[in-house]
Amino acid sequence: MGAFAVGAVTGESPTAQATDTVSNSVSVAEELGIQAEPTEAISPTVAAERLGELAATRNVRDAEQAAAQQAQADADRVVAEAAAAAAAAAAAEAARPKAVHPVDGARLTSSYGPRWGTLHAGIDLAAPLRTPEKAVMDGIVLEAGPASGFGLAVYIQHDNGDVTVYGHMDSILVEAGQVVRAGDTIALLGNRGQSTGPHLHFEVHVGGLDGQKTDPVPWLRERGIAI
């Protein structure tokens, strides 16, 4: 039997068939109707400009982030400082005395009780003229000014409703409606009114201005103040 040649059957050589297949092939882009546009190269100058724009944008973003971080840090510092100030104020308030002696260094010269055929409704505390007189506790000034028998007087109502009275002062340093704290100077000790020498006449009215007049010594002792 003679040899069978492929070329004899097709009439073309294998090389010719391959060439024809390549020449007749169609790309996917051509089938979809997409034509590739050639890209134009950019110069180093243009590239540098675009990189500069990118860097500038990045710098702006970094600056904005830094500003936001600084603003947050400032806000945190303000909050921390406010908290520290509040804590310091609370500590100072806790340490502040709740009651004080009305006249530092004064001596008791007359007690509460009957005197000269009437009730001496307070105590007398002698000290040099114009010695500071202090609010014994926190309160609000009800009255401050001329008063019969006292010459001048100050009336302070405290948060428990009691009223303390200070009389015979040389000058008054507070006014009606003023809030005072324990230890605030309210007047300077004097000798006005029915007085035989420089002293503070001090009274306590339990429950209000027209309340019961009580002995100030035990009232002060209950609050840690010895007379």
Side-chain angles (χ1 to χ4, degrees), residues 10-68:
T10 61
E12 294 180 326
S13 68
T15 301
Q17 289 179 2
T19 301
D20 184 61
T21 299
V22 172
S23 63
N24 292 331
S25 64
V26 178
S27 68
V28 174
E30 290 174 337
E31 288 182 352
L32 296 176
I34 299 174
Q35 295 183 353
E37 295 291 340
T39 58
E40 182 179 351
I42 62 174
S43 68
T45 301
V46 173
E49 290 176 352
R50 293 184 181 178
L51 289 173
E53 293 172 355
L54 179 62
T57 301
R58 184 170 55 249
N59 290 339
V60 170
R61 184 178 65 251
D62 291 345
E64 291 175 346
Q65 291 177 346

Side-chain angles (χ1 to χ4, degrees), residues 5 20 83 121 124 201 225:
D20 184 61
D124 291 343
H201 176 83
I225 306 302

